[in-house]
Amino acid sequence: MRVALAYSLQRADNTAVLVGFTAPDQVRENLTALDTPLSVDDLSFVRATLGQLQQDLDAAGDVFLDETPPHA
């Protein structure tokens, strides 16, 4: 979870990430995403993994909401 949060927060200077939690330990875990930025290698790995996931979903016919055409 830390890597997903850190990646999301590092994507832009004005990023907001909404997270949920049900226990105090999860709050602490979520906040550790702010401690150490991901390295260039970490970011490359996450981008490659997301790219592969997108290809797999596209091959299965699944579409993310941000890929749907705007309503006229």
Side-chain angles (χ1 to χ4, degrees), residues 24-45:
D25 287 345
Q26 290 174 324
V27 175
R28 282 188 287 279
E29 180 183 338
N30 289 343
L31 291 176
T32 64
L34 304 173
D35 290 344
T36 305
L38 298 176
S39 69
V40 172
D41 289 340
D42 291 336
L43 290 170
S44 294
F45 174 77

PDB file of all heavy atoms in Angstrom, residues 24-45:
ATOM      1  N   PRO A  24      -6.083   1.774  13.601  1.00  0.00           N
ATOM      2  CA  PRO A  24      -4.977   2.725  13.776  1.00  0.00           C
ATOM      3  C   PRO A  24      -3.703   2.316  13.049  1.00  0.00           C
ATOM      4  O   PRO A  24      -2.981   3.169  12.536  1.00  0.00           O
ATOM      5  CB  PRO A  24      -4.766   2.751  15.290  1.00  0.00           C
ATOM      6  CG  PRO A  24      -6.083   2.355  15.862  1.00  0.00           C
ATOM      7  CD  PRO A  24      -6.662   1.371  14.882  1.00  0.00           C
ATOM      8  N   ASP A  25      -3.420   1.021  12.963  1.00  0.00           N
ATOM      9  CA  ASP A  25      -2.224   0.561  12.255  1.00  0.00           C
ATOM     10  C   ASP A  25      -2.260   0.974  10.782  1.00  0.00           C
ATOM     11  O   ASP A  25      -1.222   1.280  10.191  1.00  0.00           O
ATOM     12  CB  ASP A  25      -2.063  -0.954  12.357  1.00  0.00           C
ATOM     13  CG  ASP A  25      -1.632  -1.402  13.739  1.00  0.00           C
ATOM     14  OD1 ASP A  25      -1.183  -0.542  14.536  1.00  0.00           O
ATOM     15  OD2 ASP A  25      -1.740  -2.608  14.014  1.00  0.00           O
ATOM     16  N   GLN A  26      -3.434   0.970  10.194  1.00  0.00           N
ATOM     17  CA  GLN A  26      -3.552   1.364   8.794  1.00  0.00           C
ATOM     18  C   GLN A  26      -3.276   2.852   8.612  1.00  0.00           C
ATOM     19  O   GLN A  26      -2.711   3.255   7.604  1.00  0.00           O
ATOM     20  CB  GLN A  26      -4.933   1.008   8.258  1.00  0.00           C
ATOM     21  CG  GLN A  26      -5.143  -0.476   8.114  1.00  0.00           C
ATOM     22  CD  GLN A  26      -6.559  -0.817   7.709  1.00  0.00           C
ATOM     23  OE1 GLN A  26      -7.507  -0.164   8.136  1.00  0.00           O
ATOM     24  NE2 GLN A  26      -6.701  -1.841   6.883  1.00  0.00           N
ATOM     25  N   VAL A  27      -3.649   3.663   9.579  1.00  0.00           N
ATOM     26  CA  VAL A  27      -3.345   5.094   9.513  1.00  0.00           C
ATOM     27  C   VAL A  27      -1.835   5.282   9.520  1.00  0.00           C
ATOM     28  O   VAL A  27      -1.280   6.016   8.697  1.00  0.00           O
ATOM     29  CB  VAL A  27      -3.985   5.857  10.691  1.00  0.00           C
ATOM     30  CG1 VAL A  27      -3.565   7.321  10.677  1.00  0.00           C
ATOM     31  CG2 VAL A  27      -5.494   5.722  10.657  1.00  0.00           C
ATOM     32  N   ARG A  28      -1.152   4.607  10.430  1.00  0.00           N
ATOM     33  CA  ARG A  28       0.312   4.718  10.504  1.00  0.00           C
ATOM     34  C   ARG A  28       0.951   4.232   9.203  1.00  0.00           C
ATOM     35  O   ARG A  28       1.866   4.860   8.676  1.00  0.00           O
ATOM     36  CB  ARG A  28       0.855   3.931  11.695  1.00  0.00           C
ATOM     37  CG  ARG A  28       0.672   4.646  13.025  1.00  0.00           C
ATOM     38  CD  ARG A  28       1.386   3.924  14.155  1.00  0.00           C
ATOM     39  NE  ARG A  28       0.712   2.695  14.547  1.00  0.00           N
ATOM     40  CZ  ARG A  28      -0.354   2.652  15.357  1.00  0.00           C
ATOM     41  NH1 ARG A  28      -0.862   3.761  15.854  1.00  0.00           N
ATOM     42  NH2 ARG A  28      -0.897   1.504  15.670  1.00  0.00           N
ATOM     43  N   GLU A  29       0.468   3.120   8.677  1.00  0.00           N
ATOM     44  CA  GLU A  29       1.022   2.586   7.429  1.00  0.00           C
ATOM     45  C   GLU A  29       0.831   3.576   6.285  1.00  0.00           C
ATOM     46  O   GLU A  29       1.747   3.826   5.502  1.00  0.00           O
ATOM     47  CB  GLU A  29       0.356   1.256   7.086  1.00  0.00           C
ATOM     48  CG  GLU A  29       0.870   0.639   5.800  1.00  0.00           C
ATOM     49  CD  GLU A  29       0.154  -0.647   5.433  1.00  0.00           C
ATOM     50  OE1 GLU A  29      -0.423  -1.292   6.330  1.00  0.00           O
ATOM     51  OE2 GLU A  29       0.174  -0.985   4.246  1.00  0.00           O
ATOM     52  N   ASN A  30      -0.357   4.161   6.187  1.00  0.00           N
ATOM     53  CA  ASN A  30      -0.627   5.125   5.119  1.00  0.00           C
ATOM     54  C   ASN A  30       0.277   6.344   5.229  1.00  0.00           C
ATOM     55  O   ASN A  30       0.757   6.867   4.218  1.00  0.00           O
ATOM     56  CB  ASN A  30      -2.088   5.554   5.145  1.00  0.00           C
ATOM     57  CG  ASN A  30      -3.029   4.451   4.704  1.00  0.00           C
ATOM     58  OD1 ASN A  30      -2.616   3.473   4.094  1.00  0.00           O
ATOM     59  ND2 ASN A  30      -4.297   4.593   5.021  1.00  0.00           N
ATOM     60  N   LEU A  31       0.522   6.808   6.436  1.00  0.00           N
ATOM     61  CA  LEU A  31       1.351   7.993   6.613  1.00  0.00           C
ATOM     62  C   LEU A  31       2.823   7.738   6.308  1.00  0.00           C
ATOM     63  O   LEU A  31       3.554   8.676   5.987  1.00  0.00           O
ATOM     64  CB  LEU A  31       1.187   8.555   8.023  1.00  0.00           C
ATOM     65  CG  LEU A  31      -0.183   9.172   8.310  1.00  0.00           C
ATOM     66  CD1 LEU A  31      -0.280   9.614   9.755  1.00  0.00           C
ATOM     67  CD2 LEU A  31      -0.475  10.322   7.365  1.00  0.00           C
ATOM     68  N   THR A  32       3.274   6.487   6.359  1.00  0.00           N
ATOM     69  CA  THR A  32       4.676   6.202   6.032  1.00  0.00           C
ATOM     70  C   THR A  32       4.961   6.445   4.553  1.00  0.00           C
ATOM     71  O   THR A  32       6.123   6.570   4.160  1.00  0.00           O
ATOM     72  CB  THR A  32       5.092   4.759   6.393  1.00  0.00           C
ATOM     73  OG1 THR A  32       4.338   3.840   5.610  1.00  0.00           O
ATOM     74  CG2 THR A  32       4.908   4.481   7.874  1.00  0.00           C
ATOM     75  N   ALA A  33       3.920   6.534   3.737  1.00  0.00           N
ATOM     76  CA  ALA A  33       4.112   6.826   2.318  1.00  0.00           C
ATOM     77  C   ALA A  33       4.735   8.205   2.138  1.00  0.00           C
ATOM     78  O   ALA A  33       5.337   8.496   1.106  1.00  0.00           O
ATOM     79  CB  ALA A  33       2.788   6.751   1.575  1.00  0.00           C
ATOM     80  N   LEU A  34       4.600   9.053   3.143  1.00  0.00           N
ATOM     81  CA  LEU A  34       5.144  10.405   3.055  1.00  0.00           C
ATOM     82  C   LEU A  34       6.603  10.476   3.498  1.00  0.00           C
ATOM     83  O   LEU A  34       7.277  11.463   3.256  1.00  0.00           O
ATOM     84  CB  LEU A  34       4.317  11.348   3.933  1.00  0.00           C
ATOM     85  CG  LEU A  34       2.825  11.389   3.632  1.00  0.00           C
ATOM     86  CD1 LEU A  34       2.097  12.218   4.687  1.00  0.00           C
ATOM     87  CD2 LEU A  34       2.567  11.924   2.250  1.00  0.00           C
ATOM     88  N   ASP A  35       7.090   9.429   4.154  1.00  0.00           N
ATOM     89  CA  ASP A  35       8.427   9.452   4.745  1.00  0.00           C
ATOM     90  C   ASP A  35       9.553   9.509   3.718  1.00  0.00           C
ATOM     91  O   ASP A  35      10.449  10.330   3.811  1.00  0.00           O
ATOM     92  CB  ASP A  35       8.647   8.239   5.647  1.00  0.00           C
ATOM     93  CG  ASP A  35       7.831   8.301   6.920  1.00  0.00           C
ATOM     94  OD1 ASP A  35       7.324   9.395   7.255  1.00  0.00           O
ATOM     95  OD2 ASP A  35       7.682   7.255   7.571  1.00  0.00           O
ATOM     96  N   THR A  36       9.526   8.608   2.757  1.00  0.00           N
ATOM     97  CA  THR A  36      10.626   8.480   1.812  1.00  0.00           C
ATOM     98  C   THR A  36      10.069   8.424   0.388  1.00  0.00           C
ATOM     99  O   THR A  36       9.312   7.516   0.065  1.00  0.00           O
ATOM    100  CB  THR A  36      11.421   7.186   2.079  1.00  0.00           C
ATOM    101  OG1 THR A  36      11.837   7.181   3.433  1.00  0.00           O
ATOM    102  CG2 THR A  36      12.620   7.090   1.163  1.00  0.00           C
ATOM    103  N   PRO A  37      10.424   9.389  -0.454  1.00  0.00           N
ATOM    104  CA  PRO A  37       9.963   9.328  -1.844  1.00  0.00           C
ATOM    105  C   PRO A  37      10.497   8.076  -2.539  1.00  0.00           C
ATOM    106  O   PRO A  37      11.555   7.555  -2.182  1.00  0.00           O
ATOM    107  CB  PRO A  37      10.563  10.586  -2.475  1.00  0.00           C
ATOM    108  CG  PRO A  37      10.980  11.461  -1.354  1.00  0.00           C
ATOM    109  CD  PRO A  37      11.245  10.559  -0.188  1.00  0.00           C
ATOM    110  N   LEU A  38       9.765   7.624  -3.526  1.00  0.00           N
ATOM    111  CA  LEU A  38      10.211   6.466  -4.309  1.00  0.00           C
ATOM    112  C   LEU A  38      11.398   6.876  -5.177  1.00  0.00           C
ATOM    113  O   LEU A  38      11.467   7.991  -5.671  1.00  0.00           O
ATOM    114  CB  LEU A  38       9.079   5.954  -5.187  1.00  0.00           C
ATOM    115  CG  LEU A  38       7.837   5.441  -4.454  1.00  0.00           C
ATOM    116  CD1 LEU A  38       6.765   5.064  -5.465  1.00  0.00           C
ATOM    117  CD2 LEU A  38       8.168   4.277  -3.554  1.00  0.00           C
ATOM    118  N   SER A  39      12.302   5.938  -5.380  1.00  0.00           N
ATOM    119  CA  SER A  39      13.465   6.191  -6.229  1.00  0.00           C
ATOM    120  C   SER A  39      13.043   6.162  -7.699  1.00  0.00           C
ATOM    121  O   SER A  39      11.938   5.722  -8.043  1.00  0.00           O
ATOM    122  CB  SER A  39      14.535   5.125  -5.985  1.00  0.00           C
ATOM    123  OG  SER A  39      14.091   3.872  -6.493  1.00  0.00           O
ATOM    124  N   VAL A  40      13.928   6.590  -8.555  1.00  0.00           N
ATOM    125  CA  VAL A  40      13.674   6.540  -9.993  1.00  0.00           C
ATOM    126  C   VAL A  40      13.407   5.095 -10.430  1.00  0.00           C
ATOM    127  O   VAL A  40      12.501   4.836 -11.233  1.00  0.00           O
ATOM    128  CB  VAL A  40      14.871   7.148 -10.776  1.00  0.00           C
ATOM    129  CG1 VAL A  40      14.718   6.929 -12.260  1.00  0.00           C
ATOM    130  CG2 VAL A  40      15.012   8.625 -10.451  1.00  0.00           C
ATOM    131  N   ASP A  41      14.159   4.152  -9.880  1.00  0.00           N
ATOM    132  CA  ASP A  41      13.950   2.734 -10.209  1.00  0.00           C
ATOM    133  C   ASP A  41      12.581   2.257  -9.732  1.00  0.00           C
ATOM    134  O   ASP A  41      11.898   1.511 -10.440  1.00  0.00           O
ATOM    135  CB  ASP A  41      15.040   1.861  -9.592  1.00  0.00           C
ATOM    136  CG  ASP A  41      16.385   2.034 -10.274  1.00  0.00           C
ATOM    137  OD1 ASP A  41      16.423   2.516 -11.439  1.00  0.00           O
ATOM    138  OD2 ASP A  41      17.410   1.692  -9.649  1.00  0.00           O
ATOM    139  N   ASP A  42      12.194   2.672  -8.524  1.00  0.00           N
ATOM    140  CA  ASP A  42      10.869   2.295  -8.011  1.00  0.00           C
ATOM    141  C   ASP A  42       9.772   2.839  -8.916  1.00  0.00           C
ATOM    142  O   ASP A  42       8.825   2.127  -9.258  1.00  0.00           O
ATOM    143  CB  ASP A  42      10.651   2.837  -6.595  1.00  0.00           C
ATOM    144  CG  ASP A  42      11.517   2.180  -5.547  1.00  0.00           C
ATOM    145  OD1 ASP A  42      11.964   1.035  -5.765  1.00  0.00           O
ATOM    146  OD2 ASP A  42      11.759   2.817  -4.497  1.00  0.00           O
ATOM    147  N   LEU A  43       9.899   4.114  -9.298  1.00  0.00           N
ATOM    148  CA  LEU A  43       8.898   4.724 -10.170  1.00  0.00           C
ATOM    149  C   LEU A  43       8.825   4.024 -11.518  1.00  0.00           C
ATOM    150  O   LEU A  43       7.739   3.794 -12.048  1.00  0.00           O
ATOM    151  CB  LEU A  43       9.195   6.210 -10.359  1.00  0.00           C
ATOM    152  CG  LEU A  43       8.975   7.088  -9.124  1.00  0.00           C
ATOM    153  CD1 LEU A  43       9.534   8.480  -9.369  1.00  0.00           C
ATOM    154  CD2 LEU A  43       7.518   7.144  -8.747  1.00  0.00           C
ATOM    155  N   SER A  44       9.970   3.658 -12.068  1.00  0.00           N
ATOM    156  CA  SER A  44      10.004   2.933 -13.344  1.00  0.00           C
ATOM    157  C   SER A  44       9.313   1.583 -13.219  1.00  0.00           C
ATOM    158  O   SER A  44       8.557   1.179 -14.116  1.00  0.00           O
ATOM    159  CB  SER A  44      11.440   2.733 -13.810  1.00  0.00           C
ATOM    160  OG  SER A  44      12.030   3.962 -14.112  1.00  0.00           O
ATOM    161  N   PHE A  45       9.557   0.887 -12.116  1.00  0.00           N
ATOM    162  CA  PHE A  45       8.922  -0.417 -11.889  1.00  0.00           C
ATOM    163  C   PHE A  45       7.405  -0.267 -11.803  1.00  0.00           C
ATOM    164  O   PHE A  45       6.659  -1.036 -12.417  1.00  0.00           O
ATOM    165  CB  PHE A  45       9.470  -1.059 -10.616  1.00  0.00           C
ATOM    166  CG  PHE A  45       8.755  -2.327 -10.243  1.00  0.00           C
ATOM    167  CD1 PHE A  45       9.024  -3.504 -10.911  1.00  0.00           C
ATOM    168  CD2 PHE A  45       7.795  -2.324  -9.247  1.00  0.00           C
ATOM    169  CE1 PHE A  45       8.353  -4.675 -10.587  1.00  0.00           C
ATOM    170  CE2 PHE A  45       7.117  -3.484  -8.916  1.00  0.00           C
ATOM    171  CZ  PHE A  45       7.398  -4.664  -9.585  1.00  0.00           C
TER     172      PHE A  45
END
